[in-house]
Amino acid sequence: MNDKVLIFDTTLRDGEQSAGTAMTVEEKVEIAKQLERLGVDVIEAGFPISSKGDFEAVQSVAREVRAPIVAALSHCRDAAIDRAAEALKDAAHPRIHLFLSSSDNHLMNQLRKNREEVVEMAVSAIRRARSYVDDVEFSPMDSSRTDRDFLAHLVRAAIDAGATTINIPDTVGYAAPGEFAALLEHLREQAPELGESVRLSVHCHDDLGMAVANSLAAVKAGARQVEGCINGIGERAGNCALEEVIMALRTRSDYFGADTDVDTKQLYATSRLVSQITGFAVQPNKAIVGRNAFRHASGIHQDGLIKDRSTYEIIDPVSVGVPRSELVLSKLSGSRGLRARLTELGYAVTDEQLPAVYEQFKELADKKREVTDRDLMALMSGHVSAIEQTYSLEHVQVTCGTREVPTATVTIKAADGGALYTDAATGDGPVDAVYKAINRIVREPNQLTEFSVNAVTEGNDAVGEVSIRIERDGRTYIGRGADTDIIVASGKAYMAALNRLLAMGGQAAPAAEAAATVG
Ligand code: MN
């Protein structure tokens, strides 16, 4: 009988701390709902005292998801704890997650407190949190660089004060697996409740590429909660990649003697959704969810697979929800068939959304004979966001070539009133010309900081997916677009980023008076 390991997902909190992410509250709720389908045990939705956006995100996630525990992060100060409790008021299963520095390095350089003062702060914070909720997690920050005996003393005091989960973070990604396991064993000797009446958790960072290895070594040493993020995103080099931990436990439960309750068939769709919303592509060779994770190139391996898949395959791709690559739909497919396939891929399409999605599907099916799962996922990338569309790109026409000056004409429709604006511009290249033409109409100053194109499918009629980042006043806005024409995809991505900027950042400037209004 396997022990159960709880999966604590912090994609919405630590993951969002990745440089260059900017998620709206609606997008966080969308990810949270997918995490609920995946079957994670805890969703850390934000750090309520840190900003109004984080407070609202925790509050909305607490209202929208029912099965998982919803955790709010807080430091050990009264105002922060009160704010966390307030954000969690409507949660079915609320948890306050308290953190406090424990290493001498952090105590001296950052907190400027002595060890006994830190213990007192932790104890009083845990008691206050317990006055609001029964489920309180305590994390001594920078545990892996903390004096072991002091750490044990602090953990002992935290348990006595009422902490129900003790989380040992390798905050700076410094630990090595054997050493980290030994630290946990030491703590369990000093505080025998750990792993028994008090849950032992770990939170590892990937600065030395060992986050997953350290987390798994911790499970072997008795940890029964692993924290991490989908696709391993997060601060600096990121957090422990949850999909890897989940599949390692599932595939090697014979060794670990532990498993999770996760529905692994939802892993691929979850990975895609997080990648789409954060704008961080998944590297092709990434374990479990990378594009090449189940592709075999060696002739000897292919020969073995034909004879028996187990020769070179330890995980069935179907078990993690990797879509089949064969033809699924064509222009003759109906909207019900489309919706059924999208549901299988992890996209929940509402009745209101379906007609627009189907319309786009038919447009795509007109250009491409065969619409594959990957095409569908690219198509859905424009739908994942609940961002208000101030403008939409109606028409793009570009001329370019070896001699011509790249010139673009674009038509943009305003959602409010439906007015159409057309303008033209030249540029250094076709994409630049399109962006300049859009700028002449929308007039929202910004800087393009990142631009990437990915072919979603193989072949000449492949769908191209463009992902961009624009910046204004130090804030980043992500935009994505997909089309069989990469210039059109680029225009859609830019329009999406501008809509996001308008929705999150500022007011829409009136569309340029000079732009010709077309019928
Ligand atoms: Mn962290």
Side-chain angles (χ1 to χ4, degrees):
M1 182 59 189
N2 288 320
D3 265 12
K4 183 182 167 179
V5 173
L6 300 188
I7 293 297
F8 178 114
D9 180 282
T10 184
T11 304
L12 302 179
R13 201 276 301 166
D14 212 322
E16 214 225 0
Q17 282 170 233
S18 314
T21 33
M23 290 186 243
T24 63
V25 171
E26 291 75 16
E27 287 170 330
K28 287 184 181 177
V29 169
E30 179 138 14
I31 290 178
K33 286 182 173 165
Q34 178 58 31
L35 290 170
E36 186 174 31
R37 280 193 283 276
L38 177 64
V40 304
D41 302 280
V42 188
I43 296 173
E44 184 164 62
F47 186 5
I49 192 87
S50 71
S51 72
K52 189 165 162 279
D54 259 47
F55 179 88
E56 284 171 8
V58 174
Q59 193 175 50
S60 306
V61 171
R63 286 174 181 162
E64 300 279 339
V65 307
R66 294 287 95 184
I69 294 167
V70 176
L73 186 69
S74 166
H75 37 52
C76 288
R77 299 196 189 279
D78 290 356
I81 299 164
D82 299 348
R83 194 84 175 129
E86 198 189 335
L88 289 170
K89 221 170 52 199
D90 300 327
H93 311 285
R95 171 182 294 186
I96 295 178
H97 177 194
L98 295 165
F99 71 97
L100 186 60
S101 287
S102 58
S103 68
D104 285 338
N105 179 320
H106 283 201
L107 261 51
M108 268 169 20
N109 297 321
Q110 199 177 15
L111 215 53
R112 299 182 198 282
K113 299 257 180 217
N114 68 37
R115 286 177 169 186
E116 276 321 302
E117 286 172 317
V118 163
V119 174
E120 278 166 32
M121 274 178 82
V123 165
S124 97
I126 291 164
R127 291 201 179 122
R128 190 178 189 92
R130 277 299 301 261
S131 74
Y132 289 113
V133 294
D134 292 334
D135 187 348
V136 173
E137 173 170 333
F138 177 70
S139 293
M141 190 157 66
D142 205 15
S143 283
S144 50
R145 293 193 302 168
T146 299
D147 173 75
R148 281 172 152 215
D149 293 317
F150 173 61
L151 184 63
H153 173 60
L154 176 60
V155 163
R156 183 62 284 142
I159 293 172
D160 293 340
T164 47
T165 297
I166 297 290
N167 177 50
I168 303 300
D170 181 25
T171 306
V172 292
Y174 181 76
E179 172 196 46
F180 196 54
L183 173 64
L184 298 185
E185 279 153 13
H186 175 73
L187 293 175
R188 291 186 69 189
E189 277 164 24
Q190 303 297 311
E193 298 95 325
L194 284 177
E196 303 294 330
S197 56
V198 174
R199 193 165 284 272
L200 178 58
S201 166
V202 289
H203 176 111
C204 297
H205 276 270
D206 210 31
D207 297 69
L208 293 173
M210 293 192 281
V212 170
N214 285 333
S215 303
L216 291 169
V219 169
K220 201 67 182 158
R224 288 296 176 267
Q225 174 175 287
V226 172
E227 303 193 0
C229 297
I230 298 299
N231 299 339
I233 64 170
E235 278 275 349
R236 308 181 311 278
N239 285 69
C240 169
L242 285 180
E243 62 280 2
E244 295 180 18
V245 168
I246 290 162
M247 287 316 292
L249 292 177
R250 182 65 46 93
T251 310
R252 294 304 313 278
S253 61
D254 62 318
Y255 173 72
F256 291 104
D259 200 352
T260 70
D261 279 352
V262 165
D263 174 6
T264 60
K265 285 201 172 69
Q266 292 290 334
L267 281 173
Y268 193 77
T270 311
S271 165
R272 279 289 305 188
L273 182 71
V274 169
S275 169
Q276 297 286 354
I277 286 180
T278 59
F280 293 125
V282 174
Q283 78 200 53
N285 59 317
K286 169 80 178 59
I288 316 300
V289 291
R291 184 163 19 99
N292 291 348
F294 300 102
R295 282 185 179 173
H296 301 267
S298 146
I300 294 173
H301 290 200
Q302 289 174 349
D303 175 65
L305 286 166
I306 290 164
K307 290 170 179 153
D308 189 313
R309 296 206 72 82
S310 71
T311 49
Y312 291 97
E313 206 166 75
I314 60 162
I315 298 170
D316 179 356
V318 172
S319 72
V320 297
V322 171
R324 296 175 304 237
S325 51
E326 70 255 34
L327 161 83
V328 282
L329 298 171
S330 73
K331 63 194 288 184
L332 300 173
S333 307
S335 65
R336 281 172 60 186
L338 173 68
R339 182 193 229 163
R341 191 66 200 128
L342 287 171
T343 307
E344 279 178 48
L345 294 174
Y347 298 101
V349 182
T350 63
D351 288 340
E352 296 82 65
Q353 289 169 322
L354 189 60
V357 173
Y358 186 58
E359 199 52 46
Q360 287 197 327
F361 162 76
K362 281 200 299 187
E363 261 175 50
L364 179 64
D366 269 338
K367 292 183 199 162
K368 282 196 90 203
R369 228 160 11 91
E370 305 181 339
V371 179
T372 65
D373 287 342
R374 285 180 191 279
D375 290 325
L376 289 180
M377 289 192 283
L379 183 143
M380 289 308 289
S381 70
H383 286 272
V384 291
S385 122
I387 294 279
E388 193 192 335
Q389 306 296 303
T390 312
Y391 296 109
S392 61
L393 193 60
E394 282 290 296
H395 184 71
V396 179
Q397 190 200 330
V398 172
T399 41
C400 59
T402 44
R403 283 158 203 255
E404 290 80 0
V405 176
T407 308
T409 306
V410 301
T411 301
I412 288 172
K413 185 175 173 182
D416 185 13
L420 291 170
Y421 304 94
T422 296
D423 212 325
T426 59
D428 294 334
V431 173
D432 186 50
V434 169
Y435 286 16
K436 284 187 171 141
I438 292 174
N439 283 343
R440 286 175 65 88
I441 300 171
V442 177
R443 292 188 172 176
E444 289 289 341
N446 68 79
Q447 270 193 314
L448 181 68
T449 55
E450 230 176 284
F451 180 93
S452 70
V453 189
N454 267 303
V456 180
T457 40
E458 286 106 32
N460 290 336
D461 60 354
V463 170
E465 195 174 47
V466 172
S467 177
I468 69 163
R469 284 189 160 78
I470 61 173
E471 236 179 73
R472 187 161 85 184
D473 304 328
R475 288 189 77 175
T476 301
Y477 306 93
I478 300 155
R480 292 167 298 270
D483 199 277
T484 50
D485 180 327
I486 62 158
I487 306 296
V488 175
S490 305
K492 285 180 180 172
Y494 187 48
M495 205 71 257
L498 285 172
N499 278 325
R500 175 178 292 259
L501 182 152
L502 290 166
M504 291 174 77
Q507 294 298 307
E513 298 288 322
T517 302
V518 180

